[in-house]
Amino acid sequence: MKDGETPRKILEVTHLKQYFNVGRADEVRAVDDISFHIYEGETFGLVGESGCGKSTTGRSIIRLYEPTAGRIIFDGEDISSIKGQAELKTFRQAVQMIYQDPYASLNPRMKVKDIIAEGIDIHGLADSEASRNEQVNELLKTVGLDQSHSTRYPHEFSGGQRQRIGIARALAVKPRFIICDEPISALDVSIQAQVVNLLQELQQTKKLTYLFIAHDLSMVKHISDRIGVMYYGKLVEVGTAADIYTYGVHPYTESLLSAIPLPDPNYERHRQRMVYAPQEQTGKVQSLREIADGHFVYCSEDEEALYRQKLSRKKQSVSTGSGAI
């Protein structure tokens, strides 16, 4: 994107709800009225604890789930209007997903070359066996694997290598938007950075846009341009990665930040973990409100002024070097 150019929204999610019926009377509000957008070429991080609705959001976007309510606009088209298999097939070529578990997401009975080429076959992207093999070998090279790996089975690879295979499979159909559904959470810490670096390289070379879902705020901050913090189906704070990490003001965001370990034994010895205690419902209407340019917090109209003051104090505290308030 050129300097001064207005960023283009490739994805707009408006008032998305994803409810599930459990038994006859119970209803689980996995995603409860959230709105956000993602600019073309950026990485939007979605962070929160397990069960908060992050993965459900991703699966609703890719139409693995039919949303209960709301609109999802991808590249100017409302995906709820996609009805036929041909249109859905075109959409799924543009939007791909990298799954959390590299062990469960690969068919153990298929060779690597067939796993990667599955999308190529479905979308008719190779006109011959030679072209198919050439594309598979190029994809293996792109993700840092050798072409000799193409004839092996998933069980012959480590977790990090399997996730690279999953990335190659997603890239095979030349997508523009990839949902990364906790792609590093099942990997060793030493391998996580390698996979994240690979994703960043691919984003630059292939002009990709990411929705990066994770529960590790420090890793999300490293890879993301903007971050949305999610709690029990709600987006509670949205802002740039730097703003959320340095000036996060919602109590739940602060609790996540307080849990991030630092390589400082003295700090860790005295670190106090903040525990988020949800406030009682007051009946006042809450929504994402902009407390600073591009920085949104889920609150009522009365709370908005308080969060603005809190943000101002934090910025002042950081600028004077006295630490966050």
Side-chain angles (χ1 to χ4, degrees):
M1 188 172 62
K2 297 178 181 178
D3 291 340
E5 184 179 342
T6 302
R8 176 177 175 270
K9 295 177 184 177
I10 192 172
L11 180 77
E12 294 182 72
V13 175
T14 308
H15 299 298
L16 176 64
K17 297 180 181 180
Q18 189 67 68
Y19 299 167
F20 299 101
N21 291 322
V22 180
R24 293 184 176 180
D26 294 334
E27 182 180 63
V28 175
R29 299 190 173 191
V31 179
D32 193 14
D33 195 12
I34 67 170
S35 299
F36 64 94
H37 60 268
I38 300 177
Y39 295 115
E40 191 170 30
E42 81 164 340
T43 297
F44 185 86
L46 195 57
V47 65
E49 62 192 65
S50 297
C52 72
K54 307 183 304 295
S55 294
T56 302
T57 299
R59 293 175 184 183
S60 298
I61 290 171
I62 205 171
R63 282 282 298 270
L64 291 179
Y65 298 143
E66 288 292 336
T68 304
R71 300 182 72 199
I72 301 170
I73 310 295
F74 176 75
D75 201 21
E77 181 180 5
D78 188 343
I79 68 167
S80 64
S81 65
I82 299 175
K83 302 299 181 184
Q85 287 299 315
E87 289 182 334
L88 187 59
K89 185 176 171 182
T90 301
F91 168 70
R92 293 253 173 89
Q93 184 175 353
V95 181
Q96 283 287 299
M97 179 175 277
I98 300 168
Y99 295 92
Q100 176 179 359
D101 190 344
Y103 296 90
S105 63
L106 305 179
N107 189 331
R109 297 180 180 178
M110 293 175 67
K111 292 181 179 179
V112 165
K113 65 178 181 180
D114 297 319
I115 290 172
I116 294 175
E118 197 169 13
I120 295 173
D121 298 338
I122 291 171
H123 294 279
L125 301 179
D127 54 12
S128 65
E129 187 70 19
S131 173
R132 182 183 191 261
N133 291 335
E134 183 181 350
Q135 289 184 54
V136 169
N137 290 337
E138 184 60 32
L139 286 162
L140 286 169
K141 180 181 177 182
T142 297
V143 299
L145 296 175
D146 191 82
Q147 67 179 50
S148 63
H149 292 147
S150 67
T151 56
R152 299 182 185 178
Y153 290 90
H155 74 270
E156 300 178 69
F157 297 90
S158 66
Q161 289 175 319
R162 291 188 197 195
Q163 197 58 288
R164 289 174 186 266
I165 295 168
I167 293 170
R169 176 177 59 184
L171 293 174
V173 296
K174 300 178 176 62
R176 296 166 52 210
F177 183 87
I178 296 181
I179 300 168
C180 306
D181 185 12
E182 300 204 46
I184 59 173
S185 63
L187 305 178
D188 292 341
V189 174
S190 59
I191 305 300
Q192 289 181 358
Q194 296 178 23
V195 173
V196 166
N197 290 337
L198 172 61
L199 289 171
Q200 290 180 309
E201 289 175 19
L202 292 171
Q203 183 173 40
Q204 294 299 316
T205 58
K206 297 187 178 294
K207 312 296 184 187
L208 296 170
T209 304
Y210 293 145
L211 170 61
F212 192 87
I213 299 168
H215 58 262
D216 183 348
L217 186 52
S218 58
M219 185 60 76
V220 172
K221 186 248 184 183
H222 174 70
I223 194 174
S224 301
D225 298 292
R226 292 184 301 124
I227 294 174
V229 180
M230 201 164 181
Y231 179 76
Y232 269 65
K234 299 281 191 183
L235 272 176
V236 297
E237 192 161 4
V238 177
T240 65
D243 279 352
I244 295 297
Y245 198 79
T246 309
Y247 307 119
V249 292
H250 192 279
Y252 180 66
T253 305
E254 291 178 321
S255 73
L256 293 180
L257 290 169
S258 75
I260 297 175
L262 294 178
D264 182 342
N266 187 56
Y267 170 84
E268 288 299 313
R269 192 175 298 115
H270 300 96
R271 174 165 64 96
Q272 291 186 342
R273 169 82 185 270
M274 293 179 62
V275 178
Y276 176 54
Q279 297 178 344
E280 293 185 8
Q281 295 295 326
T282 61
K284 295 181 180 179
V285 177
Q286 292 183 306
S287 62
L288 272 180
R289 298 175 183 271
E290 193 169 22
I291 61 170
D293 187 24
H295 193 155
F296 299 81
V297 177
Y298 186 75
C299 61
S300 65
E301 187 175 1
D302 294 344
E303 294 170 322
E304 183 178 344
L306 297 176
Y307 278 120
R308 287 180 185 274
Q309 294 171 10
K310 187 176 182 180
L311 178 62
S312 178
R313 292 198 303 270
K314 282 203 170 193
K315 289 186 174 181
Q316 184 179 7
S317 177
V318 171
S319 66
T320 58
S322 57
I325 295 175

